[in-house]
């Protein structure tokens, strides 16, 4: 087989890149390790930056998003029971859109299937070959038979645990990491949200987040120790813990119900440098991970895809490699600013096991500063809606 771009991974990064390439007439094949149902079963991000919405519209998959997405003009931070709204619209003129990653993935899958573009789900043992040279190849096993695809470029969109970054020689890549001493226990429930906007709450018992997927489906998180097991958390225990971590007026509006999904996600900050290795390009979680506190993970995947798509379009349409040569630096410049924001929000809102009394006073002073400074709130707002591409 031969194609122009082989995309490894059918998460949001791979599907969005594939859709943009196909609309530009650039031939591409997606190889995904799991089944489509498994990919859709993962409950992840919930907030889209306006830049991500624009890119999904450019990819021709913005219709359901426009009909079902919830535009939000702001969100709230709560600290020891005190609420501070961050007026995104008033401070930046922009909104974010609440629309689950599952829906984004479904819309992209539907579009790819409608276009009849080649995807191999349950592709096993993907291996990369000769990506440092001019003729890269990708081999994989599908339905028991080994296949090989010759291509011009490989897009590593296979997430944090994928094969693409792992295929880069150790001496050619540098990684930067911070692993946080806690995780997020998430719960999905078919009950109306506790508030009309998101509430990120810090309390003496730990962090909690009240989010949503629609006016009838809520998404909640509580910070848990790293060694916590989801089996130890009944729905009742979860809602009791959630209620005591959020301000009283929010707690009173939390409606419990049987969980549709419950899972624990570890939190880490991670960046690989560079993101390009010859004709292999890393995008999305394959190149970086952020704690979900700043709602940046999915949105960073979108900006990487924007840079990589533009670079590939330029290569084929204008016979220029300037975009490809600039990709890693451009993507990493935006990635690091989002990593900083996500790290700062995580430090502000979470209870660190080893935190001293001094650390606690610093966190309280930072929150007090936010409640008294338009400049401080504007900084949070412009990072939350997403810095320019
Ligand atoms: P993904 O990990 O989504 O997709 C990679 C794909 O590659 C997967 O389908 C995988 O099966 C496939 N793959 C892996 N190895 C392969 C191989 N060897 N061969 C073929 N295919 C392979 N972000 C937020 O903004 N808010 C959140 O609340 C949030 N919660 C999260 C919770 C969890 C548990 C995780 C893991 C991430 C969360 N994120 C969140 C971040 C998340 O949304 C990612 O940023 C987003 O999924 C990135 O998309 P991709 O880069 O496509 O990576
Ligand atoms: C979610 O709704 O899953 C969500 C929203 C905002 C975040 C993290 C997760 O920062």
């Amino acid at each position: 087989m031969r194609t122009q771009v082989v995309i490894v991974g059918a998460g949001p990064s791979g599907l969005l890149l594939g859709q943009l390439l196909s609309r530009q007439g650039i031939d591409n094949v997606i190889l995904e390790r799991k089944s489509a149902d498994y990919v859709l079963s993962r409950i992840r991000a919930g907030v889209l930056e306006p830049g991500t919405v624009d890119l999904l519209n450019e990819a021709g998959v913005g219709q359901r998003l426009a009909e079902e997405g919830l535009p939000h003009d702001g969100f709230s931070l709560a600290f020891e029971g005190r609420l501070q709204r961050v007026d995104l619209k008033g401070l930046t003129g922009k909104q974010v859109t609440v629309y689950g990653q599952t829906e984004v993935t479904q819309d992209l899958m539907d579009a790819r299937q409608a276009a009849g573009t080649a995807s191999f789900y349950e592709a096993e043992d993907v291996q990369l070959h000769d990506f440092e040279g001019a003729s890269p190849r990708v081999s994989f096993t599908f339905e028991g038979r080994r296949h090989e695809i010759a291509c011009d470029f490989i897009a590593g969109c296979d997430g944090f645990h994928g094969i693409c970054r792992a295929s880069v020689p150790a001496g050619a890549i540098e990684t930067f990491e911070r692993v946080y001493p806690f995780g997020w226990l998430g719960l999905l429930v078919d009950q109306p949200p506790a508030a009309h906007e998101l509430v990120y709450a810090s309390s003496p018992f730990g962090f909690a987040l009240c989010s949503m997927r629609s006016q009838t489906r809520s998404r909640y998180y509580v910070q848990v120790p790293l060694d916590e097991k989801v089996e130890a958390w009944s729905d009742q225990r979860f809602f009791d813990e959630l209620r005591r971590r959020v301000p009283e007026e929010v707690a009173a509006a939390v409606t419990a119900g049987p969980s549709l999904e419950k899972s624990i996600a570890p939190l880490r900050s991670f960046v690989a440098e560079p993101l390009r290795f010859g004709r292999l390009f890393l995008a999305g979680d394959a190149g970086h991970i952020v704690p979900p506190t700043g709602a940046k993970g999915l949105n960073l995947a979108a900006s990487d895809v924007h840079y990589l798509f533009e670079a590939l379009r330029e290569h084929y349409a204008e016979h220029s490699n300037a975009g490809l040569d600039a990709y890693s630096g451009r993507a990493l410049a935006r990635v690091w600013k989002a990593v900083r924001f996500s790290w700062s929000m995580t430090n502000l809102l979470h209870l660190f096991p080893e935190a001293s009394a001094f650390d606690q006073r610093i966190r309280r002073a930072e929150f007090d500063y936010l409640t008294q400074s338009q400049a401080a709130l504007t900084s949070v707002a412009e990072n939350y809606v997403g810095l320019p591409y």
Side-chain angles (χ1 to χ4, degrees):
M1 272 185 278
R2 185 181 214 294
T3 188
Q4 290 173 298
V5 182
V6 169
I7 299 170
V8 184
S13 299
L15 288 166
L16 180 53
L17 178 62
Q19 182 64 10
L20 289 164
L21 291 173
S22 299
R23 287 168 65 91
Q24 185 67 24
I26 299 171
D27 194 34
N28 63 92
V29 174
I30 288 184
L31 306 178
E32 165 57 52
R33 174 165 63 180
K34 300 291 188 183
S35 68
D37 287 345
Y38 182 92
V39 174
L40 286 169
S41 70
R42 295 186 304 226
I43 307 298
R44 289 186 173 170
V47 172
L48 304 183
E49 297 172 357
T52 302
V53 173
D54 291 346
L55 200 57
L56 291 168
N57 284 320
E58 181 185 341
V61 295
Q63 186 181 340
R64 196 161 70 99
L65 167 56
E67 293 161 0
E68 299 176 17
L70 303 175
H72 278 207
D73 290 348
F75 69 93
S76 288
L77 297 169
F79 195 87
E80 296 172 344
R82 290 180 293 154
L83 268 170
Q84 172 61 53
R85 184 168 184 267
V86 182
D87 178 7
L88 299 174
K89 191 77 177 282
L91 292 165
T92 71
K94 297 176 183 174
Q95 299 171 305
V96 293
T97 303
V98 170
Y99 190 70
Q101 177 173 321
T102 305
E103 309 319 316
V104 171
T105 306
Q106 182 70 69
D107 294 342
L108 287 164
M109 279 181 180
D110 292 349
R112 188 168 182 91
Q113 189 167 18
T117 315
S119 304
F120 291 86
Y121 283 91
E122 298 180 84
E124 298 171 341
D125 189 22
V126 168
Q127 297 289 329
L128 313 187
H129 311 280
D130 301 332
F131 54 81
E132 298 283 6
S135 308
R137 295 169 291 118
V138 180
S139 60
F140 62 100
T141 298
F142 180 71
E143 294 180 346
R145 281 187 51 229
R146 198 71 186 155
H147 299 265
E148 182 169 288
I149 308 179
C151 56
D152 299 333
F153 300 101
I154 303 171
C157 299
D158 51 346
F160 184 67
H161 300 290
I163 186 66
C164 290
R165 191 181 72 247
S167 300
V168 175
I173 192 167
E174 189 176 6
T175 61
F176 307 83
E177 184 169 48
R178 167 155 301 182
V179 177
Y180 297 90
F182 39 73
W184 279 18
L185 167 60
L187 179 146
L188 196 66
V189 63
D190 270 344
Q191 291 291 356
H196 71 284
E197 294 177 334
L198 272 65
V199 179
Y200 294 77
S202 178
S203 82
F205 309 105
F207 169 83
L209 170 61
C210 299
S211 183
M212 64 199 74
R213 290 292 179 271
S214 69
Q215 300 298 8
T216 59
R217 178 167 287 189
S218 298
R219 179 70 171 165
Y220 294 113
Y221 297 92
V222 294
Q223 169 189 349
V224 292
L226 265 184
D227 57 2
E228 191 62 273
K229 298 284 181 280
V230 68
E231 296 77 22
W233 285 79
S234 67
D235 292 353
Q236 187 60 53
R237 180 185 177 194
F238 181 94
F239 285 108
D240 290 347
E241 190 61 30
L242 174 73
R243 288 193 179 102
R244 73 174 186 155
R245 295 190 183 188
V246 299
E248 285 177 10
E249 60 268 45
V250 176
V254 171
T255 309
S259 57
L260 303 172
E261 187 269 355
K262 222 170 3 186
S263 57
I264 294 177
L267 268 61
R268 77 174 76 237
S269 298
F270 173 88
V271 181
E273 291 187 3
L275 295 178
R276 179 211 185 158
F277 309 89
R279 289 179 172 252
L280 168 63
F281 294 82
L282 302 181
D285 277 17
H288 41 75
I289 294 284
V290 285
T293 328
K296 290 296 147 225
L298 176 57
N299 293 296
L300 274 182
S303 51
D304 286 355
V305 165
H306 164 76
Y307 297 132
L308 184 53
F309 165 66
E310 286 303 325
L312 289 166
R313 185 196 55 74
E314 185 188 75
H315 168 83
Y316 287 110
E318 300 163 26
H319 307 294
S320 160
N321 286 332
L324 292 173
D325 294 340
Y327 167 72
S328 182
R330 284 182 75 191
L332 285 169
R334 189 171 193 270
V335 162
W336 272 112
K337 290 193 274 281
V339 166
R340 183 211 64 82
F341 175 66
S342 305
W343 167 84
S344 69
M345 288 278 278
T346 302
N347 280 296
L348 171 64
L349 295 169
H350 289 75
L351 210 55
F352 283 68
E354 75 288 354
S356 64
F358 173 84
D359 298 328
Q360 183 54 17
R361 286 292 184 277
I362 291 294
R363 289 174 61 226
R364 185 180 294 163
E366 187 171 345
F367 185 81
D368 288 347
Y369 174 50
L370 275 174
T371 63
Q372 296 153 10
S373 163
Q374 175 102 342
L377 276 181
T378 303
S379 172
V380 170
E382 66 180 11
N383 277 279
Y384 195 85
V385 299
L387 298 178
Y389 279 16

